[in-house]
Amino acid sequence: MNTARQLRDKLEHARRLMDEGEPTLADLAASVGLSASHLQRRFAERFGLSPAEYLSQRKLGTLKGALREGSDVSAALYDAGYGSPSRVYEGGAAKLGMTPARYRAGGAGEQIRWSIADTALGQALVATTERGICMIELGEDAAALEAKLHAEFPRAHLERVDAGRDEFLAPRLRAVADALAGRQAQVPVDLIGTAFQKKVWDALMKIPHGQTRSYTQIAEEIGHPRSMRAVANACANNHVAIVVPCHRVVRGDGSLGGYRWGLPMKQRVLERERVA
């Protein structure tokens, strides 16, 4: 068995051990026969997360699943491996974007304002919390756009606001419309994701207007040079595309790669930026 294959097997073994329990980094390293520092580095390169971040996200996923199924909050926290309610925030469950109780209730209590605006590339639905933009959707069917919003936040308080009549929402609508027209736009966003995803999204927002970067270049920039696939997944899970410009990430050969609204839309957005 070659060395590269042996390393992959050890990393997969480490991942399985964390799926089954909560080993310390030292125990994990000893179990797979690697030094702690080597395991930490190689695991992050392969999976896009450190072992600690992987454990945190696994626990968070367990918590989310239990809450969605209607489990009691205290029981869900315990079953997910959180020793106390306060640990849920220390361990990263703030990535729920709301308290566990609100998440279990389908977002009940969250205040979200939204509107649909005509842009150079069709209709855009923009939704905001008090912290910033939380969702952008593009399409030609206003009813379908609204249905996606309700599916994403089923029990939040959703308030439609006519464009231009809300001092918080209006400038964000204009910024999205400007971005779709190829003009530069910067607005606060409410990003909810893993630590790795946020690193990727931060890197995307640093790509100069009208330029592109490859998935490999982004992976190298955030310190995970072998995590191109994880970078692509982070782009795919970007719910505020356009203002977090995943359209500026392409394959190493210059081809477009993927895009949540299709490659023709990605091409149009890039072309408008280049001529603006």
Side-chain angles (χ1 to χ4, degrees):
M1 184 182 295
N2 63 45
T3 302
R5 176 63 183 275
Q6 288 177 326
L7 177 61
R8 286 197 300 271
D9 288 348
K10 288 182 177 183
L11 295 176
E12 287 293 342
H13 185 205
R15 184 179 62 81
R16 288 194 297 272
L17 289 173
M18 287 189 289
D19 286 340
E20 297 167 359
E22 268 189 86
T24 66
L25 180 61
D27 289 341
L28 198 62
S31 297
V32 300
L34 296 173
S35 70
S37 60
H38 190 55
L39 172 62
Q40 178 110 333
R41 183 172 67 256
R42 293 301 192 180
F43 191 92
E45 288 175 352
R46 179 161 180 80
F47 298 108
L49 297 167
S50 71
E53 290 169 337
Y54 183 89
L55 271 176
S56 176
Q57 292 311 304
R58 180 185 60 75
K59 290 168 64 176
L60 179 59
T62 301
L63 174 62
K64 282 184 172 183
L67 292 173
R68 282 193 182 279
E69 291 171 5
S71 296
D72 173 77
V73 172
S74 296
L77 291 172
Y78 178 81
D79 290 342
Y82 295 101
S84 68
S86 64
R87 294 296 301 278
V88 73
Y89 299 102
E90 296 169 10
K95 298 181 183 71
L96 290 171
M98 58 192 76
T99 66
R102 282 190 177 182
Y103 189 86
R104 179 176 182 270
E110 288 292 302
Q111 302 288 321
I112 297 174
R113 297 174 181 173
W114 67 278
S115 190
I116 294 176
D118 291 323
T119 76
L121 296 178
Q123 294 189 95
L125 181 148
V126 180
T128 70
T129 65
E130 63 182 7
R131 298 172 293 277
I133 293 175
C134 61
M135 183 175 178
I136 296 172
E137 280 293 337
L138 305 181
E140 297 302 327
D141 186 335
L145 294 177
E146 183 175 353
K148 288 182 179 180
L149 176 66
H150 283 272
E152 186 73 15
F153 304 105
R155 297 185 66 187
H157 177 72
L158 302 174
E159 178 185 357
R160 179 163 186 168
V161 180
D162 289 337
R165 295 186 181 179
D166 183 301
E167 63 182 13
F168 187 83
L169 182 58
R172 287 152 178 80
L173 280 167
R174 287 195 298 272
V176 172
D178 284 346
L180 289 169
R183 296 186 289 271
Q184 295 194 50
Q186 290 186 340
V187 292
V189 291
D190 188 6
L191 298 176
I192 301 171
T194 67
F196 180 83
Q197 287 172 334
K198 290 181 178 180
K199 285 182 182 179
V200 173
W201 298 336
D202 286 343
L204 300 187
M205 289 188 282
K206 295 175 184 176
I207 301 174
H209 190 77
Q211 296 185 25
T212 60
R213 298 287 186 271
S214 70
Y215 294 102
T216 299
Q217 287 174 313
I218 296 297
E220 290 173 347
E221 182 176 333
I222 64 174
H224 297 281
R226 299 186 184 181
S227 300
M228 293 79 76
R229 182 175 296 179
V231 168
N233 287 337
C235 291
N237 285 289
N238 169 19
H239 291 291
V240 289
I242 300 299
V243 293
V244 176
C246 53
H247 58 273
R248 295 178 190 163
V249 187
V250 298
R251 291 175 176 158
D253 62 3
S255 60
L256 294 182
Y259 195 52
R260 66 179 301 177
W261 295 305
L263 295 186
M265 176 65 78
K266 185 171 184 175
Q267 183 67 52
R268 292 169 70 190
V269 175
L270 285 172
E271 288 175 350
R272 286 183 175 275
E273 286 192 349
R274 286 166 180 158
V275 301

